[in-house]
Amino acid sequence: AAFRHVWTKWGPGDANLWPANKIVHTFLYPHILNALLVAGLILYVALRTLTRHGGISQLKRPALTLILLLVAQLLLGFAAYVTRIVQGVIEVQPTAALVGTTVAHLAVGALILAVTLVLIIQGHRHSRELAEVIPFESRQQVVSV
């Protein structure tokens, strides 16, 4: 959001405030690094849920949905990057492609947050079943750590 708002307020039309390359370096690169970290965490949680608790449909569905949304989010992020940085640098007004990819990227990010919340709630609801799957010795190790 910081990248988007700074770009729309200080972007190419007002490059006297900040040049476009400084905006990209200051806001976009940290966004990409954070996206890679979050993508790794989503993959870890979703794959761990599927491998350990794939038999529980209330956990399987949100885990699969998270993986699909993650792929969509990464593709939309790349598309937003291309329309913003590669094609839209010289545009005075945002193009339809730029608005579409940016809004879709934002919406899928919100869906990822919502589905993650569903997975957390369902995990909590099924915590007794999950505790039975994990051997007692492993639970003691987890508690002692």
Side-chain angles (χ1 to χ4, degrees), residues 6-137:
V6 167
W7 188 273
T8 55
K9 290 179 183 170
W10 295 353
D14 293 323
N16 295 337
L17 296 174
W18 270 23
N21 66 341
K22 187 172 183 178
I23 294 171
V24 169
H25 283 86
T26 304
F27 294 101
L28 181 63
Y29 292 151
H31 177 83
I32 291 172
L33 288 174
N34 187 53
L36 293 174
L37 174 68
V38 170
L41 289 171
I42 288 172
L43 276 176
Y44 173 76
V45 168
L47 293 176
R48 187 167 172 108
T49 301
L50 290 172
T51 56
R52 288 189 167 213
H53 313 294
I56 303 172
S57 64
Q58 292 87 355
L59 296 175
K60 183 179 180 179
R61 274 186 254 132
L64 287 172
T65 304
L66 274 176
I67 292 172
L68 292 173
L69 287 173
L70 176 63
V71 170
Q73 181 71 341
L74 293 174
L75 291 173
L76 285 168
F78 180 73
Y81 171 80
V82 169
T83 56
R84 167 81 62 184
I85 304 299
V86 177
Q87 296 172 351
V89 170
I90 58 171
E91 299 291 333
V92 177
Q93 289 291 325
T95 63
L98 173 68
V99 172
T101 56
T102 303
V103 169
H105 184 62
L106 179 71
V108 171
L111 284 173
I112 287 173
L113 181 62
V115 173
T116 302
L117 183 61
V118 168
L119 184 60
I120 291 168
I121 291 169
Q122 291 297 340
H124 182 70
R125 285 183 176 172
H126 293 278
S127 59
R128 285 197 180 108
E129 292 174 50
L130 300 176
E132 292 171 7
V133 173
I134 301 171
F136 183 72
E137 299 82 26

